[in-house]
Amino acid sequence: MNNVNIIGRIVSDPLKFHIDQFQKNMVKFAIGVDNRTRKTDGVKDTFFFECESWDKVADRIYEVCQKGDKVAITGHLEQAKFTRRDGSKGSMVKIVVSGIEFLFERR
């Protein structure tokens, strides 16, 4: 089972792209989530996750959300593998968002 449910804040304004190959809109953004536990010095860690969304959910995120907005997202994880310019291999995990709940007052 590959399900993700996270509450956090959008850390930068969402970016919208039209993918001609699929004739679909896609939105990319990042979300910051505070860790439940504190470090020994009492400070909470924040985790940052790259996110993308497609179609109607993407359009809604782009229309409504901006940096700092608190949201609850639902989706699944995908791993992207790539080769860096120096030839080394890398990978990253992103959240593909299929649902969103806005936890802020609409403007």
Side-chain angles (χ1 to χ4, degrees):
M1 183 178 292
N2 181 358
N3 293 316
V4 175
N5 297 298
I6 291 181
I7 295 175
R9 294 195 180 273
I10 295 178
V11 297
S12 60
D13 290 336
L15 300 174
K16 186 176 184 177
F17 304 90
H18 181 75
I19 310 301
D20 291 329
Q21 178 182 359
F22 303 114
Q23 292 300 306
K24 294 183 178 189
N25 290 331
M26 190 238 325
V27 167
K28 289 186 174 189
F29 62 98
I31 188 168
V33 180
D34 285 337
N35 189 359
R36 289 184 190 190
T37 59
R38 295 179 185 270
K39 296 189 281 187
T40 54
D41 62 3
V43 177
K44 280 190 175 182
D45 275 329
T46 302
F47 302 115
F48 296 95
F49 300 97
E50 295 295 323
C51 302
E52 72 177 38
S53 186
W54 294 82
D55 297 328
K56 292 180 181 179
V57 175
D59 292 337
R60 192 72 180 133
I61 291 169
Y62 185 75
E63 291 167 4
V64 175
C65 295
Q66 62 187 29
K67 179 180 178 178
D69 289 342
K70 189 173 186 180
V71 295
I73 60 173
T74 300
H76 67 274
L77 299 176
E78 278 189 8
Q79 183 178 25
K81 295 180 180 181
F82 54 89
T83 303
R84 295 183 182 91
R85 290 184 183 166
D86 66 3
S88 63
K89 303 284 184 190
S91 71
M92 67 172 279
V93 175
K94 63 184 172 187
I95 301 171
V96 179
V97 178
S98 57
I100 188 164
E101 185 175 338
F102 307 111
L103 304 177
F104 59 92
E105 294 203 22
R106 304 245 171 114
R107 291 171 274 289

